[in-house]
């Protein structure tokens, strides 16, 4: 079914586009006057001047290590399955693979890659990870000289991610669940 939208005919002045042109000049003049007379530039001199990311900004995802310097990822592949653009690729160790480099872990990935050209920084990988092995950092300026250079391997992701403490996710979830049990809160 087609719906026809009735449009008001343009007036003579509107047909000359003069109101739109004047509106564009007003915006340009406002920014020009702000820059020249008030000394407040509209643009930044990037990369010399860095943009300060706001709180809650979701940047590039990186792998992190625990306090002992071991890989926290246990190759469960949840992040790979949930990634909407399929930017994450994990190669499990297989039955003959090397053992995990830490206690309480059955396995660790043989290869872990994130294609930063595909990643949309949605944060689902961080949300689903049971080991808190992947975190979104505040990086927004990712550069490379080729497409292959933008596919970060496990070593590069661990190097960029750094060290992060123990697993606190389940402790936080437990606290959230306890808060919900007492909802609505008792007035005191």
């Amino acid at each position: 079914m087609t719906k026809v939208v009735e449009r008001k005919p343009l007036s003579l002045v509107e047909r000359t586009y003069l109101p739109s042109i004047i509106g564009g000049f007003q915006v340009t003049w406002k920014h020009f006057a702000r820059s020249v007379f008030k000394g407040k530039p509209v643009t930044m001199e990037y990369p010399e001047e860095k943009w300060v990311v706001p709180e809650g900004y979701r940047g590039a995802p990186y792998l992190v290590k625990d306090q002992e310097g071991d890989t926290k990822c246990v190759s469960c592949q949840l992040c790979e399955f949930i990634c909407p653009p399929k930017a994450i690729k994990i190669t499990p160790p297989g039955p003959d693979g090397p053992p995990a480099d830490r206690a309480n872990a059955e396995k660790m990935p043989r290869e872990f890659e994130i294609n930063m050209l595909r990643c949309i920084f949605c944060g689902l990988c961080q949300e689903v990870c049971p080991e808190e092995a992947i975190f979104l950092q505040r990086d927004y300026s990712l550069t490379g000289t080729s497409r292959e250079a933008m596919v970060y391997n496990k070593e590069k992701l661990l190097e960029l991610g750094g060290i992060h403490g123990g697993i606190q996710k389940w402790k936080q979830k437990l606290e959230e669940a306890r808060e919900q049990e007492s909802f609505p809160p008792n007035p005191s």
Side-chain angles (χ1 to χ4, degrees):
M1 181 174 171
T2 313
K3 182 177 181 181
V4 178
V5 177
E6 297 293 330
R7 293 183 181 220
K8 189 175 111 185
L10 297 176
S11 67
L12 178 64
V13 175
E14 289 172 332
R15 281 187 267 165
T16 62
Y17 299 107
L18 281 177
S20 299
I21 293 171
I22 291 171
F25 277 123
Q26 286 175 340
V27 171
T28 303
W29 173 254
K30 185 176 82 178
H31 289 301
F32 176 77
R34 181 179 169 198
S35 300
V36 173
F37 301 124
K38 294 184 178 179
K40 296 179 180 178
V42 177
T43 58
M44 297 172 51
E45 294 183 19
Y46 184 83
E48 289 81 16
E49 186 181 349
K50 298 286 185 183
W51 176 54
V52 178
V53 294
E55 191 65 34
Y57 175 80
R58 295 183 302 190
Y62 298 135
L63 288 175
V64 296
K65 296 180 179 178
D66 62 9
Q67 296 92 332
E68 286 83 33
D70 298 327
T71 306
K72 292 178 77 175
C73 179
V74 294
S75 189
C76 67
Q77 298 181 292
L78 288 174
C79 56
E80 183 180 14
F81 295 134
I82 202 166
C83 181
K86 304 295 180 198
I88 298 175
K89 180 180 175 189
I90 299 174
T91 305
D96 301 328
D101 57 357
R102 66 180 172 100
N104 301 331
E106 291 181 18
K107 57 185 178 177
M108 54 183 275
R110 179 180 296 165
E111 284 297 325
F112 193 108
E113 294 178 347
I114 298 180
N115 186 339
M116 293 299 177
L117 295 175
R118 285 187 168 192
C119 181
I120 57 174
F121 305 162
C122 64
L124 289 177
C125 52
Q126 177 182 333
E127 182 70 26
V128 76
C129 182
E131 298 290 324
E132 293 185 344
I134 189 165
F135 276 90
L136 298 183
Q137 307 290 337
R138 297 185 149 224
D139 288 350
Y140 60 88
S141 177
L142 306 175
T143 58
T145 55
S146 65
R147 289 184 173 272
E148 292 78 24
M150 296 305 293
V151 178
Y152 291 7
N153 62 14
K154 184 171 75 174
E155 288 74 26
K156 186 170 186 174
L157 291 168
L158 287 169
E159 178 186 327
L160 293 170
I163 296 173
H164 195 271
I167 301 170
Q168 302 293 319
K169 186 175 197 172
W170 305 118
K171 182 180 175 185
Q172 294 171 0
K173 296 289 182 190
L174 180 63
E175 290 173 3
E176 290 173 6
R178 285 185 180 150
E179 290 174 6
Q180 288 183 351
E181 288 174 2
S182 62
F183 187 82
N186 296 330
S188 51

